[in-house]
Amino acid sequence: MKAMMGREDFEAGLRQIGAERYHHLHPFQQRLQNGDLSKTQVQAWALNRYYYQSQIPVKDAYILARLRTPELRREWRQRIIDHDGEEGQRGGIEKWIALTDGVGLDRAYVESGVGILAGTRFAVDAYVHFVQERTLLEAIASSLTELFSPTVIGTRVRGMLEHYDFISKETLAYFDKRPVQAKRDSDFALAYCLDNARRPEEQTAVLDALRFKCQVLWAQLDALHFAYVEPGMIPPDAWRTGEGLRDEGGAA
Amino acid sequence: MKAMMGREDFEAGLRQIGAERYHHLHPFQQRLQNGDLSKTQVQAWALNRYYYQSQIPVKDAYILARLRTPELRREWRQRIIDHDGEEGQRGGIEKWIALTDGVGLDRAYVESGVGILAGTRFAVDAYVHFVQERTLLEAIASSLTELFSPTVIGTRVRGMLEHYDFISKETLAYFDKRPVQAKRDSDFALAYCLDNARRPEEQTAVLDALRFKCQVLWAQLDALHFAYVEPGMIPPDAWRTGEGLRDEGGAA
């Protein structure tokens, strides 16, 4: 029988998963921030990642529906406000559209989801299903990848601004508030998991949920890399260079 | 407004999707049947595809639960019997284990699902979710890839027997009955779809369901190709050469 981990060991176990499996280690992510991608490849990333962004409030609404106190729901609903926006405050999804605008993609095309990779859709939908089908503890634990995002976001934004002339600070406005939001959200989720995993098998389930979520992020970059970088085998029906561009954008 | 297609045009539209999108066109599939894969790569295929096989009766049980007459359920339950077997008759899943046995993989390892690619899991699970969440017509239509499997199976079996010394007729017993079963099943599903798509938008939904299912198959080979062929980037936690082998199997 497994023994219960102490709080510090349990947290260290979670952070170890991030150190080994978070998508900052993925070659596509490294090429993105090192300026090694073409404009077409950055477009493919922005297009596909939009689908992930668009489903985050859906995922969070399913979790919201499962929380049993006004206090917990107030805490969690902030995530939805951050992504969907409010009066006088653009949400994360609208800011992501500023990014797809900035790289020259047509807004209606991006929002339609036509042309995203099946690998993107299957990975993102797996995340939305996970928070419906697993325990609430696992659903919350699957958000813990945000523990690892703040520093990565800084590196990514600096790298992209430095290397790509088609990327501006406004294009990357999505990332401005994410480090603060991600820290607030992951502080809460981490404390929830440390407090509520009260049996060894619950600790294991939390660790596995975080591993699962790292796979959701990693598999999206695998699909992008395979289709658009190496070997560059674009599946039937997926976006091809020059498709879905803004009128003023011209050829990529 | 879209016009209703005639029965023949509708069927031709379905067959056209197969001609352009079925996974017999995938480079991994072509390498498999042309003898261009290493034993390790064939092991990776057998291991990952086992997860797909294992979920087929689950998928079919969800469809069974939605059928509203004993006649329809009797027809559909045969699929589950074929995969799960019966007294004196090995099912498709057990025969797939004969294949993973034959290429030297440990049975308990294969059945555990440990080591399969996240891309495999997400694609297969997307299929199981699809038949729960979409209309019954779409759920049935998603099985129509079997229209295209009989000839492909013949090519694959001949190619594998010819090219791989670690593959025997017994190893490939899974495929013996599949062409006959697949023809019976897809004849039924095709007639059901042709009869029950009574509005243009239902015809479109049927075509889209078949496109979706082609993506489920294609994305599995994308993930295999990316991890084990080109560029050969195996994700964290996925199976690596030499893992999960049978005791008597030795190194791959």
Side-chain angles (χ1 to χ4, degrees), chain B residues 55-89:
Chain B
Q55 295 304 297
I56 294 299
V58 176
K59 180 274 294 184
D60 283 319
Y62 280 119
I63 294 179
L64 193 62
R66 300 180 69 184
L67 294 167
R68 285 288 162 262
T69 69
E71 289 72 25
L72 287 171
R73 286 195 297 267
R74 276 205 299 272
E75 178 68 38
W76 208 268
R77 81 178 180 214
Q78 189 58 45
R79 294 170 176 249
I80 299 178
I81 295 169
D82 290 342
H83 270 80
D84 284 340
E86 56 190 329
E87 192 64 35
Q89 182 80 48

PDB file of all heavy atoms in Angstrom, chain B residues 55-89:
ATOM      1  N   GLN B  55     -11.560  -0.170 -27.264  1.00  0.00           N
ATOM      2  CA  GLN B  55     -12.656   0.769 -27.038  1.00  0.00           C
ATOM      3  C   GLN B  55     -13.815   0.599 -28.022  1.00  0.00           C
ATOM      4  O   GLN B  55     -14.862   1.241 -27.870  1.00  0.00           O
ATOM      5  CB  GLN B  55     -12.131   2.212 -27.105  1.00  0.00           C
ATOM      6  CG  GLN B  55     -11.152   2.547 -25.981  1.00  0.00           C
ATOM      7  CD  GLN B  55     -11.766   2.302 -24.602  1.00  0.00           C
ATOM      8  OE1 GLN B  55     -12.741   2.933 -24.230  1.00  0.00           O
ATOM      9  NE2 GLN B  55     -11.205   1.363 -23.846  1.00  0.00           N
ATOM     10  N   ILE B  56     -13.646  -0.258 -29.012  1.00  0.00           N
ATOM     11  CA  ILE B  56     -14.712  -0.432 -30.014  1.00  0.00           C
ATOM     12  C   ILE B  56     -16.001  -0.993 -29.386  1.00  0.00           C
ATOM     13  O   ILE B  56     -17.091  -0.456 -29.649  1.00  0.00           O
ATOM     14  CB  ILE B  56     -14.214  -1.303 -31.200  1.00  0.00           C
ATOM     15  CG1 ILE B  56     -13.101  -0.562 -31.977  1.00  0.00           C
ATOM     16  CG2 ILE B  56     -15.353  -1.666 -32.141  1.00  0.00           C
ATOM     17  CD1 ILE B  56     -13.540   0.754 -32.585  1.00  0.00           C
ATOM     18  N   PRO B  57     -15.920  -2.025 -28.546  1.00  0.00           N
ATOM     19  CA  PRO B  57     -17.170  -2.491 -27.929  1.00  0.00           C
ATOM     20  C   PRO B  57     -17.792  -1.445 -27.000  1.00  0.00           C
ATOM     21  O   PRO B  57     -19.011  -1.414 -26.845  1.00  0.00           O
ATOM     22  CB  PRO B  57     -16.741  -3.729 -27.121  1.00  0.00           C
ATOM     23  CG  PRO B  57     -15.424  -4.122 -27.669  1.00  0.00           C
ATOM     24  CD  PRO B  57     -14.776  -2.873 -28.169  1.00  0.00           C
ATOM     25  N   VAL B  58     -16.971  -0.615 -26.384  1.00  0.00           N
ATOM     26  CA  VAL B  58     -17.486   0.472 -25.542  1.00  0.00           C
ATOM     27  C   VAL B  58     -18.275   1.438 -26.418  1.00  0.00           C
ATOM     28  O   VAL B  58     -19.423   1.804 -26.119  1.00  0.00           O
ATOM     29  CB  VAL B  58     -16.326   1.203 -24.831  1.00  0.00           C
ATOM     30  CG1 VAL B  58     -16.837   2.401 -24.041  1.00  0.00           C
ATOM     31  CG2 VAL B  58     -15.546   0.231 -23.946  1.00  0.00           C
ATOM     32  N   LYS B  59     -17.658   1.817 -27.510  1.00  0.00           N
ATOM     33  CA  LYS B  59     -18.326   2.687 -28.475  1.00  0.00           C
ATOM     34  C   LYS B  59     -19.632   2.064 -28.950  1.00  0.00           C
ATOM     35  O   LYS B  59     -20.683   2.720 -28.995  1.00  0.00           O
ATOM     36  CB  LYS B  59     -17.344   2.929 -29.639  1.00  0.00           C
ATOM     37  CG  LYS B  59     -17.811   3.809 -30.754  1.00  0.00           C
ATOM     38  CD  LYS B  59     -18.595   3.116 -31.852  1.00  0.00           C
ATOM     39  CE  LYS B  59     -17.795   2.120 -32.668  1.00  0.00           C
ATOM     40  NZ  LYS B  59     -18.632   1.564 -33.791  1.00  0.00           N
ATOM     41  N   ASP B  60     -19.574   0.780 -29.279  1.00  0.00           N
ATOM     42  CA  ASP B  60     -20.777   0.131 -29.799  1.00  0.00           C
ATOM     43  C   ASP B  60     -21.853  -0.037 -28.728  1.00  0.00           C
ATOM     44  O   ASP B  60     -23.048  -0.012 -29.040  1.00  0.00           O
ATOM     45  CB  ASP B  60     -20.421  -1.216 -30.450  1.00  0.00           C
ATOM     46  CG  ASP B  60     -19.798  -1.020 -31.821  1.00  0.00           C
ATOM     47  OD1 ASP B  60     -20.295  -0.147 -32.563  1.00  0.00           O
ATOM     48  OD2 ASP B  60     -18.822  -1.714 -32.150  1.00  0.00           O
ATOM     49  N   ALA B  61     -21.444  -0.188 -27.481  1.00  0.00           N
ATOM     50  CA  ALA B  61     -22.430  -0.296 -26.398  1.00  0.00           C
ATOM     51  C   ALA B  61     -23.177   1.033 -26.217  1.00  0.00           C
ATOM     52  O   ALA B  61     -24.385   1.035 -25.947  1.00  0.00           O
ATOM     53  CB  ALA B  61     -21.747  -0.712 -25.099  1.00  0.00           C
ATOM     54  N   TYR B  62     -22.473   2.143 -26.389  1.00  0.00           N
ATOM     55  CA  TYR B  62     -23.164   3.442 -26.298  1.00  0.00           C
ATOM     56  C   TYR B  62     -24.185   3.588 -27.424  1.00  0.00           C
ATOM     57  O   TYR B  62     -25.283   4.115 -27.216  1.00  0.00           O
ATOM     58  CB  TYR B  62     -22.167   4.610 -26.334  1.00  0.00           C
ATOM     59  CG  TYR B  62     -21.501   4.877 -25.007  1.00  0.00           C
ATOM     60  CD1 TYR B  62     -20.122   4.784 -24.864  1.00  0.00           C
ATOM     61  CD2 TYR B  62     -22.249   5.245 -23.892  1.00  0.00           C
ATOM     62  CE1 TYR B  62     -19.498   5.026 -23.640  1.00  0.00           C
ATOM     63  CE2 TYR B  62     -21.633   5.492 -22.668  1.00  0.00           C
ATOM     64  CZ  TYR B  62     -20.264   5.376 -22.546  1.00  0.00           C
ATOM     65  OH  TYR B  62     -19.666   5.626 -21.345  1.00  0.00           O
ATOM     66  N   ILE B  63     -23.824   3.108 -28.605  1.00  0.00           N
ATOM     67  CA  ILE B  63     -24.792   3.166 -29.717  1.00  0.00           C
ATOM     68  C   ILE B  63     -25.954   2.207 -29.439  1.00  0.00           C
ATOM     69  O   ILE B  63     -27.129   2.574 -29.602  1.00  0.00           O
ATOM     70  CB  ILE B  63     -24.102   2.834 -31.057  1.00  0.00           C
ATOM     71  CG1 ILE B  63     -23.091   3.938 -31.403  1.00  0.00           C
ATOM     72  CG2 ILE B  63     -25.136   2.669 -32.173  1.00  0.00           C
ATOM     73  CD1 ILE B  63     -22.326   3.718 -32.700  1.00  0.00           C
ATOM     74  N   LEU B  64     -25.619   1.001 -28.978  1.00  0.00           N
ATOM     75  CA  LEU B  64     -26.648   0.004 -28.642  1.00  0.00           C
ATOM     76  C   LEU B  64     -27.681   0.593 -27.683  1.00  0.00           C
ATOM     77  O   LEU B  64     -28.888   0.400 -27.851  1.00  0.00           O
ATOM     78  CB  LEU B  64     -25.958  -1.213 -28.007  1.00  0.00           C
ATOM     79  CG  LEU B  64     -26.763  -2.497 -27.836  1.00  0.00           C
ATOM     80  CD1 LEU B  64     -27.221  -3.039 -29.177  1.00  0.00           C
ATOM     81  CD2 LEU B  64     -25.932  -3.553 -27.095  1.00  0.00           C
ATOM     82  N   ALA B  65     -27.186   1.341 -26.703  1.00  0.00           N
ATOM     83  CA  ALA B  65     -28.071   1.914 -25.678  1.00  0.00           C
ATOM     84  C   ALA B  65     -29.032   2.950 -26.262  1.00  0.00           C
ATOM     85  O   ALA B  65     -30.049   3.272 -25.658  1.00  0.00           O
ATOM     86  CB  ALA B  65     -27.237   2.556 -24.568  1.00  0.00           C
ATOM     87  N   ARG B  66     -28.695   3.453 -27.449  1.00  0.00           N
ATOM     88  CA  ARG B  66     -29.528   4.506 -28.031  1.00  0.00           C
ATOM     89  C   ARG B  66     -30.495   3.969 -29.079  1.00  0.00           C
ATOM     90  O   ARG B  66     -31.345   4.709 -29.571  1.00  0.00           O
ATOM     91  CB  ARG B  66     -28.620   5.569 -28.657  1.00  0.00           C
ATOM     92  CG  ARG B  66     -27.687   6.212 -27.637  1.00  0.00           C
ATOM     93  CD  ARG B  66     -26.796   7.253 -28.282  1.00  0.00           C
ATOM     94  NE  ARG B  66     -27.566   8.405 -28.700  1.00  0.00           N
ATOM     95  CZ  ARG B  66     -27.045   9.440 -29.365  1.00  0.00           C
ATOM     96  NH1 ARG B  66     -25.765   9.438 -29.696  1.00  0.00           N
ATOM     97  NH2 ARG B  66     -27.793  10.464 -29.703  1.00  0.00           N
ATOM     98  N   LEU B  67     -30.339   2.709 -29.448  1.00  0.00           N
ATOM     99  CA  LEU B  67     -31.228   2.140 -30.470  1.00  0.00           C
ATOM    100  C   LEU B  67     -32.563   1.780 -29.822  1.00  0.00           C
ATOM    101  O   LEU B  67     -32.596   1.284 -28.707  1.00  0.00           O
ATOM    102  CB  LEU B  67     -30.570   0.919 -31.121  1.00  0.00           C
ATOM    103  CG  LEU B  67     -29.315   1.251 -31.934  1.00  0.00           C
ATOM    104  CD1 LEU B  67     -28.547  -0.025 -32.283  1.00  0.00           C
ATOM    105  CD2 LEU B  67     -29.669   2.026 -33.199  1.00  0.00           C
ATOM    106  N   ARG B  68     -33.647   1.960 -30.536  1.00  0.00           N
ATOM    107  CA  ARG B  68     -34.961   1.936 -29.905  1.00  0.00           C
ATOM    108  C   ARG B  68     -35.809   0.715 -30.221  1.00  0.00           C
ATOM    109  O   ARG B  68     -36.955   0.645 -29.793  1.00  0.00           O
ATOM    110  CB  ARG B  68     -35.726   3.227 -30.267  1.00  0.00           C
ATOM    111  CG  ARG B  68     -35.241   4.453 -29.511  1.00  0.00           C
ATOM    112  CD  ARG B  68     -35.675   4.382 -28.031  1.00  0.00           C
ATOM    113  NE  ARG B  68     -34.907   5.277 -27.167  1.00  0.00           N
ATOM    114  CZ  ARG B  68     -33.859   4.880 -26.434  1.00  0.00           C
ATOM    115  NH1 ARG B  68     -33.426   3.653 -26.448  1.00  0.00           N
ATOM    116  NH2 ARG B  68     -33.225   5.748 -25.656  1.00  0.00           N
ATOM    117  N   THR B  69     -35.263  -0.223 -31.000  1.00  0.00           N
ATOM    118  CA  THR B  69     -36.045  -1.443 -31.269  1.00  0.00           C
ATOM    119  C   THR B  69     -35.166  -2.678 -31.084  1.00  0.00           C
ATOM    120  O   THR B  69     -33.949  -2.621 -31.304  1.00  0.00           O
ATOM    121  CB  THR B  69     -36.594  -1.485 -32.721  1.00  0.00           C
ATOM    122  OG1 THR B  69     -35.489  -1.667 -33.629  1.00  0.00           O
ATOM    123  CG2 THR B  69     -37.348  -0.205 -33.075  1.00  0.00           C
ATOM    124  N   PRO B  70     -35.786  -3.793 -30.680  1.00  0.00           N
ATOM    125  CA  PRO B  70     -35.024  -5.048 -30.563  1.00  0.00           C
ATOM    126  C   PRO B  70     -34.330  -5.414 -31.875  1.00  0.00           C
ATOM    127  O   PRO B  70     -33.206  -5.926 -31.851  1.00  0.00           O
ATOM    128  CB  PRO B  70     -36.098  -6.086 -30.217  1.00  0.00           C
ATOM    129  CG  PRO B  70     -37.184  -5.295 -29.554  1.00  0.00           C
ATOM    130  CD  PRO B  70     -37.188  -3.961 -30.248  1.00  0.00           C
ATOM    131  N   GLU B  71     -34.980  -5.141 -33.006  1.00  0.00           N
ATOM    132  CA  GLU B  71     -34.391  -5.501 -34.305  1.00  0.00           C
ATOM    133  C   GLU B  71     -33.068  -4.769 -34.511  1.00  0.00           C
ATOM    134  O   GLU B  71     -32.067  -5.368 -34.899  1.00  0.00           O
ATOM    135  CB  GLU B  71     -35.347  -5.154 -35.455  1.00  0.00           C
ATOM    136  CG  GLU B  71     -36.583  -6.036 -35.558  1.00  0.00           C
ATOM    137  CD  GLU B  71     -37.597  -5.776 -34.435  1.00  0.00           C
ATOM    138  OE1 GLU B  71     -37.596  -4.645 -33.882  1.00  0.00           O
ATOM    139  OE2 GLU B  71     -38.348  -6.709 -34.082  1.00  0.00           O
ATOM    140  N   LEU B  72     -33.090  -3.460 -34.266  1.00  0.00           N
ATOM    141  CA  LEU B  72     -31.860  -2.684 -34.448  1.00  0.00           C
ATOM    142  C   LEU B  72     -30.793  -3.120 -33.447  1.00  0.00           C
ATOM    143  O   LEU B  72     -29.623  -3.250 -33.788  1.00  0.00           O
ATOM    144  CB  LEU B  72     -32.155  -1.182 -34.290  1.00  0.00           C
ATOM    145  CG  LEU B  72     -32.929  -0.523 -35.449  1.00  0.00           C
ATOM    146  CD1 LEU B  72     -33.355   0.895 -35.061  1.00  0.00           C
ATOM    147  CD2 LEU B  72     -32.057  -0.488 -36.712  1.00  0.00           C
ATOM    148  N   ARG B  73     -31.223  -3.345 -32.206  1.00  0.00           N
ATOM    149  CA  ARG B  73     -30.228  -3.735 -31.197  1.00  0.00           C
ATOM    150  C   ARG B  73     -29.630  -5.113 -31.503  1.00  0.00           C
ATOM    151  O   ARG B  73     -28.437  -5.333 -31.286  1.00  0.00           O
ATOM    152  CB  ARG B  73     -30.854  -3.698 -29.792  1.00  0.00           C
ATOM    153  CG  ARG B  73     -31.063  -2.272 -29.272  1.00  0.00           C
ATOM    154  CD  ARG B  73     -31.329  -2.245 -27.768  1.00  0.00           C
ATOM    155  NE  ARG B  73     -32.558  -2.938 -27.398  1.00  0.00           N
ATOM    156  CZ  ARG B  73     -33.761  -2.360 -27.270  1.00  0.00           C
ATOM    157  NH1 ARG B  73     -33.892  -1.055 -27.488  1.00  0.00           N
ATOM    158  NH2 ARG B  73     -34.808  -3.070 -26.926  1.00  0.00           N
ATOM    159  N   ARG B  74     -30.466  -6.033 -31.997  1.00  0.00           N
ATOM    160  CA  ARG B  74     -29.920  -7.352 -32.356  1.00  0.00           C
ATOM    161  C   ARG B  74     -28.854  -7.212 -33.444  1.00  0.00           C
ATOM    162  O   ARG B  74     -27.823  -7.870 -33.410  1.00  0.00           O
ATOM    163  CB  ARG B  74     -31.039  -8.269 -32.876  1.00  0.00           C
ATOM    164  CG  ARG B  74     -31.807  -8.973 -31.790  1.00  0.00           C
ATOM    165  CD  ARG B  74     -32.446 -10.273 -32.299  1.00  0.00           C
ATOM    166  NE  ARG B  74     -33.385 -10.049 -33.370  1.00  0.00           N
ATOM    167  CZ  ARG B  74     -34.686  -9.784 -33.185  1.00  0.00           C
ATOM    168  NH1 ARG B  74     -35.185  -9.711 -31.962  1.00  0.00           N
ATOM    169  NH2 ARG B  74     -35.490  -9.593 -34.222  1.00  0.00           N
ATOM    170  N   GLU B  75     -29.148  -6.371 -34.410  1.00  0.00           N
ATOM    171  CA  GLU B  75     -28.188  -6.128 -35.487  1.00  0.00           C
ATOM    172  C   GLU B  75     -26.882  -5.571 -34.916  1.00  0.00           C
ATOM    173  O   GLU B  75     -25.790  -6.054 -35.238  1.00  0.00           O
ATOM    174  CB  GLU B  75     -28.806  -5.119 -36.477  1.00  0.00           C
ATOM    175  CG  GLU B  75     -27.922  -4.723 -37.634  1.00  0.00           C
ATOM    176  CD  GLU B  75     -27.686  -5.873 -38.590  1.00  0.00           C
ATOM    177  OE1 GLU B  75     -28.626  -6.661 -38.822  1.00  0.00           O
ATOM    178  OE2 GLU B  75     -26.542  -5.994 -39.081  1.00  0.00           O
ATOM    179  N   TRP B  76     -27.021  -4.553 -34.075  1.00  0.00           N
ATOM    180  CA  TRP B  76     -25.817  -3.855 -33.611  1.00  0.00           C
ATOM    181  C   TRP B  76     -25.002  -4.666 -32.604  1.00  0.00           C
ATOM    182  O   TRP B  76     -23.783  -4.577 -32.534  1.00  0.00           O
ATOM    183  CB  TRP B  76     -26.177  -2.472 -33.020  1.00  0.00           C
ATOM    184  CG  TRP B  76     -25.035  -1.527 -33.163  1.00  0.00           C
ATOM    185  CD1 TRP B  76     -24.047  -1.292 -32.259  1.00  0.00           C
ATOM    186  CD2 TRP B  76     -24.729  -0.715 -34.316  1.00  0.00           C
ATOM    187  NE1 TRP B  76     -23.142  -0.385 -32.767  1.00  0.00           N
ATOM    188  CE2 TRP B  76     -23.540  -0.021 -34.027  1.00  0.00           C
ATOM    189  CE3 TRP B  76     -25.340  -0.515 -35.557  1.00  0.00           C
ATOM    190  CZ2 TRP B  76     -22.960   0.869 -34.935  1.00  0.00           C
ATOM    191  CZ3 TRP B  76     -24.770   0.356 -36.458  1.00  0.00           C
ATOM    192  CH2 TRP B  76     -23.588   1.044 -36.139  1.00  0.00           C
ATOM    193  N   ARG B  77     -25.718  -5.485 -31.792  1.00  0.00           N
ATOM    194  CA  ARG B  77     -24.976  -6.215 -30.734  1.00  0.00           C
ATOM    195  C   ARG B  77     -23.993  -7.212 -31.327  1.00  0.00           C
ATOM    196  O   ARG B  77     -23.039  -7.620 -30.675  1.00  0.00           O
ATOM    197  CB  ARG B  77     -25.949  -6.901 -29.765  1.00  0.00           C
ATOM    198  CG  ARG B  77     -26.500  -8.211 -30.265  1.00  0.00           C
ATOM    199  CD  ARG B  77     -27.417  -8.873 -29.246  1.00  0.00           C
ATOM    200  NE  ARG B  77     -27.897 -10.133 -29.807  1.00  0.00           N
ATOM    201  CZ  ARG B  77     -29.099 -10.649 -29.577  1.00  0.00           C
ATOM    202  NH1 ARG B  77     -29.953 -10.022 -28.796  1.00  0.00           N
ATOM    203  NH2 ARG B  77     -29.447 -11.806 -30.125  1.00  0.00           N
ATOM    204  N   GLN B  78     -24.200  -7.625 -32.588  1.00  0.00           N
ATOM    205  CA  GLN B  78     -23.280  -8.562 -33.216  1.00  0.00           C
ATOM    206  C   GLN B  78     -21.862  -7.989 -33.249  1.00  0.00           C
ATOM    207  O   GLN B  78     -20.876  -8.724 -33.140  1.00  0.00           O
ATOM    208  CB  GLN B  78     -23.762  -8.911 -34.637  1.00  0.00           C
ATOM    209  CG  GLN B  78     -22.980 -10.046 -35.274  1.00  0.00           C
ATOM    210  CD  GLN B  78     -23.018 -11.327 -34.449  1.00  0.00           C
ATOM    211  OE1 GLN B  78     -24.059 -11.739 -33.955  1.00  0.00           O
ATOM    212  NE2 GLN B  78     -21.852 -11.956 -34.260  1.00  0.00           N
ATOM    213  N   ARG B  79     -21.794  -6.667 -33.399  1.00  0.00           N
ATOM    214  CA  ARG B  79     -20.471  -6.028 -33.397  1.00  0.00           C
ATOM    215  C   ARG B  79     -19.749  -6.270 -32.071  1.00  0.00           C
ATOM    216  O   ARG B  79     -18.537  -6.483 -32.042  1.00  0.00           O
ATOM    217  CB  ARG B  79     -20.626  -4.517 -33.600  1.00  0.00           C
ATOM    218  CG  ARG B  79     -21.176  -4.143 -34.979  1.00  0.00           C
ATOM    219  CD  ARG B  79     -21.523  -2.665 -35.012  1.00  0.00           C
ATOM    220  NE  ARG B  79     -21.965  -2.249 -36.337  1.00  0.00           N
ATOM    221  CZ  ARG B  79     -21.277  -1.448 -37.149  1.00  0.00           C
ATOM    222  NH1 ARG B  79     -20.122  -0.954 -36.762  1.00  0.00           N
ATOM    223  NH2 ARG B  79     -21.753  -1.126 -38.336  1.00  0.00           N
ATOM    224  N   ILE B  80     -20.504  -6.197 -31.000  1.00  0.00           N
ATOM    225  CA  ILE B  80     -19.890  -6.380 -29.675  1.00  0.00           C
ATOM    226  C   ILE B  80     -19.462  -7.835 -29.497  1.00  0.00           C
ATOM    227  O   ILE B  80     -18.382  -8.121 -28.975  1.00  0.00           O
ATOM    228  CB  ILE B  80     -20.882  -5.929 -28.575  1.00  0.00           C
ATOM    229  CG1 ILE B  80     -21.197  -4.432 -28.771  1.00  0.00           C
ATOM    230  CG2 ILE B  80     -20.300  -6.196 -27.191  1.00  0.00           C
ATOM    231  CD1 ILE B  80     -22.204  -3.877 -27.787  1.00  0.00           C
ATOM    232  N   ILE B  81     -20.320  -8.751 -29.954  1.00  0.00           N
ATOM    233  CA  ILE B  81     -19.971 -10.178 -29.892  1.00  0.00           C
ATOM    234  C   ILE B  81     -18.695 -10.442 -30.698  1.00  0.00           C
ATOM    235  O   ILE B  81     -17.795 -11.142 -30.245  1.00  0.00           O
ATOM    236  CB  ILE B  81     -21.149 -11.038 -30.410  1.00  0.00           C
ATOM    237  CG1 ILE B  81     -22.343 -10.881 -29.458  1.00  0.00           C
ATOM    238  CG2 ILE B  81     -20.739 -12.505 -30.570  1.00  0.00           C
ATOM    239  CD1 ILE B  81     -23.652 -11.455 -29.979  1.00  0.00           C
ATOM    240  N   ASP B  82     -18.615  -9.847 -31.880  1.00  0.00           N
ATOM    241  CA  ASP B  82     -17.418 -10.036 -32.713  1.00  0.00           C
ATOM    242  C   ASP B  82     -16.159  -9.569 -31.999  1.00  0.00           C
ATOM    243  O   ASP B  82     -15.105 -10.192 -32.106  1.00  0.00           O
ATOM    244  CB  ASP B  82     -17.549  -9.259 -34.029  1.00  0.00           C
ATOM    245  CG  ASP B  82     -18.596  -9.856 -34.951  1.00  0.00           C
ATOM    246  OD1 ASP B  82     -18.967 -11.032 -34.756  1.00  0.00           O
ATOM    247  OD2 ASP B  82     -19.056  -9.139 -35.863  1.00  0.00           O
ATOM    248  N   HIS B  83     -16.252  -8.474 -31.280  1.00  0.00           N
ATOM    249  CA  HIS B  83     -15.045  -7.943 -30.634  1.00  0.00           C
ATOM    250  C   HIS B  83     -14.744  -8.606 -29.290  1.00  0.00           C
ATOM    251  O   HIS B  83     -13.590  -8.790 -28.935  1.00  0.00           O
ATOM    252  CB  HIS B  83     -15.146  -6.426 -30.479  1.00  0.00           C
ATOM    253  CG  HIS B  83     -14.593  -5.714 -31.658  1.00  0.00           C
ATOM    254  ND1 HIS B  83     -15.308  -5.550 -32.815  1.00  0.00           N
ATOM    255  CD2 HIS B  83     -13.370  -5.175 -31.898  1.00  0.00           C
ATOM    256  CE1 HIS B  83     -14.559  -4.932 -33.716  1.00  0.00           C
ATOM    257  NE2 HIS B  83     -13.389  -4.691 -33.185  1.00  0.00           N
ATOM    258  N   ASP B  84     -15.803  -8.922 -28.543  1.00  0.00           N
ATOM    259  CA  ASP B  84     -15.569  -9.490 -27.209  1.00  0.00           C
ATOM    260  C   ASP B  84     -15.549 -11.019 -27.211  1.00  0.00           C
ATOM    261  O   ASP B  84     -15.143 -11.628 -26.214  1.00  0.00           O
ATOM    262  CB  ASP B  84     -16.635  -8.968 -26.231  1.00  0.00           C
ATOM    263  CG  ASP B  84     -16.366  -7.525 -25.824  1.00  0.00           C
ATOM    264  OD1 ASP B  84     -15.211  -7.065 -25.980  1.00  0.00           O
ATOM    265  OD2 ASP B  84     -17.294  -6.850 -25.350  1.00  0.00           O
ATOM    266  N   GLY B  85     -16.011 -11.645 -28.286  1.00  0.00           N
ATOM    267  CA  GLY B  85     -15.963 -13.100 -28.385  1.00  0.00           C
ATOM    268  C   GLY B  85     -17.126 -13.769 -27.686  1.00  0.00           C
ATOM    269  O   GLY B  85     -17.961 -13.117 -27.054  1.00  0.00           O
ATOM    270  N   GLU B  86     -17.168 -15.085 -27.811  1.00  0.00           N
ATOM    271  CA  GLU B  86     -18.179 -15.871 -27.104  1.00  0.00           C
ATOM    272  C   GLU B  86     -17.605 -17.266 -26.899  1.00  0.00           C
ATOM    273  O   GLU B  86     -16.508 -17.570 -27.349  1.00  0.00           O
ATOM    274  CB  GLU B  86     -19.502 -15.909 -27.888  1.00  0.00           C
ATOM    275  CG  GLU B  86     -19.381 -16.432 -29.309  1.00  0.00           C
ATOM    276  CD  GLU B  86     -20.670 -16.209 -30.111  1.00  0.00           C
ATOM    277  OE1 GLU B  86     -21.755 -16.226 -29.518  1.00  0.00           O
ATOM    278  OE2 GLU B  86     -20.561 -16.019 -31.334  1.00  0.00           O
ATOM    279  N   GLU B  87     -18.357 -18.115 -26.196  1.00  0.00           N
ATOM    280  CA  GLU B  87     -17.928 -19.497 -25.930  1.00  0.00           C
ATOM    281  C   GLU B  87     -17.385 -20.137 -27.208  1.00  0.00           C
ATOM    282  O   GLU B  87     -18.097 -20.230 -28.215  1.00  0.00           O
ATOM    283  CB  GLU B  87     -19.150 -20.281 -25.415  1.00  0.00           C
ATOM    284  CG  GLU B  87     -18.833 -21.645 -24.830  1.00  0.00           C
ATOM    285  CD  GLU B  87     -17.962 -21.569 -23.579  1.00  0.00           C
ATOM    286  OE1 GLU B  87     -18.136 -20.607 -22.798  1.00  0.00           O
ATOM    287  OE2 GLU B  87     -17.093 -22.459 -23.404  1.00  0.00           O
ATOM    288  N   GLY B  88     -16.138 -20.563 -27.177  1.00  0.00           N
ATOM    289  CA  GLY B  88     -15.575 -21.275 -28.322  1.00  0.00           C
ATOM    290  C   GLY B  88     -15.196 -20.398 -29.500  1.00  0.00           C
ATOM    291  O   GLY B  88     -14.876 -20.898 -30.573  1.00  0.00           O
ATOM    292  N   GLN B  89     -15.237 -19.106 -29.315  1.00  0.00           N
ATOM    293  CA  GLN B  89     -14.982 -18.185 -30.440  1.00  0.00           C
ATOM    294  C   GLN B  89     -14.211 -16.973 -29.898  1.00  0.00           C
ATOM    295  O   GLN B  89     -14.785 -16.156 -29.161  1.00  0.00           O
ATOM    296  CB  GLN B  89     -16.342 -17.729 -31.005  1.00  0.00           C
ATOM    297  CG  GLN B  89     -16.273 -16.796 -32.204  1.00  0.00           C
ATOM    298  CD  GLN B  89     -16.022 -17.560 -33.494  1.00  0.00           C
ATOM    299  OE1 GLN B  89     -16.674 -18.544 -33.776  1.00  0.00           O
ATOM    300  NE2 GLN B  89     -15.062 -17.090 -34.273  1.00  0.00           N
TER     301      GLN B  89
END
